[in-house]
Amino acid sequence: MVALIGRCFKLDQHGTNVRTEVVAGVTTFVTMAYIIVVNPAILAFAGIPTGPSTIATILTAVFGCLLMGLYANRPIAVAPYMGENAFIAFGLATLGISWQQRLGTVFLAGALFLVLTLMRARTWLANSISASLKHSFAAGIGLFLLFIGLYETGIVTSGVTGMAVENLPVAAGKVLSPAVPVQIGHLRQPRVLLAIGGFVLMAILLFWRVRGGILIGIAVTGAVGMALGLAEPPKQVLALPWVAAYDLREIAFKLDLAGVLRLSFLPILLTLFLMSFLDTLGTLVGVGAAGGFLDEQGNFPQIERPMLVDASACMFAALVGTSTSGAFIESATGIREGGRTGLTAVVTGLLFAVAMFFIPLAESLQHLQFAYGPALIMVGVLMVASARHINFDDLTEAVPAVTTIAMMLFTYNIANGLTAGLVLYPLMKLAAGRFKELTGGAMVLGLLCAGYYVFGLPH
């Protein structure tokens, strides 16, 4: 059996063995298993029930990891993305569209990704977006997640929280914008203090490179909250994933494709596509560098295979009822443990399958903002680090990049920031007389994003 596995995954050719690959797969799973708790908790704000959503999250991870391992033979795990789930849940909230339509946009964005990958248009599109803009997307999404975490945990709150109704700023029967949009929360409340402690614990664990630091932080914070009587402990540890509470039929194949085939949905599709594309590209380059997979030019060999896996996993995610999925940067932890082939991803996928029988443990944490909120803050901190790669010395690069970050955060919408940056980039280059630095793709993306404000529904 060991010899057969070695031949299937070309272990000798990659200088590894079964034991090393299994350890790497376990390591990757531990570092990213927090998604089982956090993703359904976020998507609940879109109206997707957490029980079936947890099943969908796990199934997507199983499908993506197995496909990545067996088809692409890469040690890269796949699961629903952080950032994209927040866009689905919060960024589209003011549009008043159903969760079925939101899943429809996820499917179509994945289909577009698949078509462009098959057409080998990846390089053209990747080169159309400047490095500063790419990094601003990551930094902006990181700050967006960080702010959601702060708000959900009560560390910050609305400027009108605690204000008497008669003192609300009102004119013509409508509530006006408060003078102070946000304020510090009630830091003496036990749940808020627990959230702060949970974040500090995660930061310390990650500093000391403890595997699964975010997951451990969620579990410890939740356990302390339960011990203090701030939450109900899980009623059971094991459960069959096909019982009524987790019935996938509530959300599977309920996506609304016909309802999103409208011009007003084009910005949403473009946003989801670009977010997924850039996440995938950045992850592949990052883990490729960690594992020594890149060639002399810094390119990822046979990148189309993992990108096809990402596109397929994205479409699968929409079909079973969850948000955009793709390659996880946490895969780098397994690669640091020696993972070099798809066997690592297969092991990770099988562990996700086993986790399906322990959903009661995850479900007990999905309703505890003080437990999962610090994870959003911590992931945000890690993503904001991309800002150091923005070229702040060149205003034609800095203005679009900073605008992207600011619009994402202060309009509470990722699409507003992404499109604003892509519109401003060619405008700044043209105004500076540096039109030679522009590509056809940058112009096309700028015009498409301008349509977001002219024909779409900016919100």
Side-chain angles (χ1 to χ4, degrees):
M1 179 62 73
V2 173
L4 177 61
I5 293 174
R7 289 195 298 272
C8 288
F9 294 98
K10 303 178 181 178
L11 300 184
D12 290 339
Q13 182 177 327
H14 290 88
T16 184
N17 55 62
V18 172
R19 182 185 178 280
T20 299
E21 295 290 304
V22 170
V23 171
V26 173
T27 301
T28 298
F29 171 77
V30 170
T31 56
M32 64 181 287
Y34 69 86
I35 198 67
I36 300 173
V37 176
V38 179
N39 191 58
I42 291 176
L43 293 181
F45 289 93
I48 302 177
T50 55
S53 179
T54 304
I55 293 289
T57 297
I58 295 174
L59 284 178
T60 299
V62 173
F63 174 84
C65 289
L66 293 181
L67 192 61
M68 182 69 78
L70 298 174
Y71 171 67
N73 196 25
R74 294 295 186 182
I76 302 170
V78 176
Y81 276 134
M82 295 291 290
E84 281 83 339
N85 53 9
F87 175 65
I88 293 294
F90 302 104
L92 303 181
T94 57
L95 288 179
I97 63 177
S98 67
W99 61 263
Q100 292 90 341
Q101 289 176 312
R102 301 183 201 198
L103 293 180
T105 61
V106 171
F107 182 87
L108 290 178
L112 177 60
F113 192 15
L114 179 65
V115 170
L116 288 182
T117 302
L118 291 172
M119 293 173 59
R120 299 183 181 273
R122 167 195 59 83
T123 303
W124 175 79
L125 186 58
N127 292 338
S128 299
I129 304 172
S130 75
S132 291
L133 267 183
K134 290 174 184 174
H135 291 298
S136 75
F137 295 163
I141 292 170
L143 281 173
F144 185 64
L145 289 174
L146 194 154
F147 183 67
I148 291 173
L150 291 172
Y151 192 82
E152 283 296 307
T153 55
I155 297 173
V156 301
T157 188
S158 169
V160 298
T161 298
M163 187 180 294
V165 175
E166 58 270 17
N167 294 330
L168 289 174
V170 178
K174 295 183 178 181
V175 178
L176 302 176
S177 299
V180 180
V182 293
Q183 60 183 339
I184 196 166
H186 301 288
L187 299 187
R188 295 181 181 178
Q189 288 186 353
R191 288 179 173 82
V192 177
L193 290 172
L194 263 179
I196 295 172
F199 169 68
V200 173
L201 174 61
M202 292 177 192
I204 292 172
L205 292 174
L206 290 180
F207 175 81
W208 290 107
R209 298 185 181 276
V210 176
R211 296 173 189 168
I214 293 178
L215 180 63
I216 293 171
I218 293 174
V220 170
T221 306
V224 172
M226 293 172 189
L228 294 175
L230 300 176
E232 291 290 329
K235 295 180 174 62
Q236 58 190 108
V237 175
L238 292 168
L240 296 176
W242 48 81
V243 298
Y246 312 127
D247 192 348
L248 194 63
R249 289 176 295 182
E250 288 189 41
I251 59 176
F253 301 102
K254 296 294 179 66
L255 65 166
D256 182 1
L257 290 174
V260 300
L261 292 174
R262 301 199 304 265
L263 182 61
S264 60
F265 276 83
L266 178 62
I268 299 173
L269 294 174
L270 180 63
T271 299
L272 281 174
F273 167 74
L274 286 177
M275 289 173 67
S276 178
F277 176 81
L278 293 171
D279 271 343
T280 299
L281 187 65
T283 298
L284 292 179
V285 172
V287 299
F293 302 143
L294 305 184
D295 60 21
E296 293 79 5
Q297 287 75 41
N299 297 318
F300 196 107
Q302 295 184 318
I303 196 171
E304 285 77 16
R305 286 202 169 197
M307 282 199 161
L308 282 173
V309 171
D310 268 26
S312 301
C314 184
M315 296 169 68
F316 178 87
L319 290 174
V320 296
T322 192
S323 54
T324 309
S325 67
F328 249 58
I329 192 62
E330 282 83 352
S331 303
T333 60
I335 290 173
R336 281 198 292 265
E337 291 296 321
R340 291 295 180 270
T341 73
L343 181 55
T344 294
V346 169
V347 171
T348 302
L350 293 177
L351 289 173
F352 269 107
V354 172
M356 202 177 303
F357 294 90
F358 293 87
I359 290 179
L361 288 177
E363 199 171 30
S364 65
L365 298 170
Q366 289 166 353
H367 306 288
L368 306 182
Q369 285 92 335
F370 63 79
Y372 73 76
L376 297 177
I377 301 173
M378 194 68 249
V379 172
V381 170
L382 298 175
M383 294 181 69
V384 169
S386 290
R388 68 177 181 268
H389 300 295
I390 296 173
N391 184 2
F392 290 103
D393 295 326
D394 182 350
L395 284 181
T396 67
E397 298 283 338
V399 169
V402 175
T403 300
T404 295
I405 296 170
M407 290 291 285
M408 282 187 185
L409 181 62
F410 299 122
T411 68
Y412 208 63
N413 189 293
I414 293 171
N416 289 342
L418 188 146
T419 50
L422 289 173
V423 169
L424 273 177
Y425 182 77
L427 287 178
M428 289 297 298
K429 292 295 183 181
L430 289 172
R434 293 160 57 179
F435 55 88
K436 290 184 178 180
E437 297 179 23
L438 286 174
T439 64
M443 296 297 293
V444 169
L445 287 172
L447 290 172
L448 284 174
C449 291
Y452 174 57
Y453 296 95
V454 177
F455 303 108
L457 294 172
H459 51 285

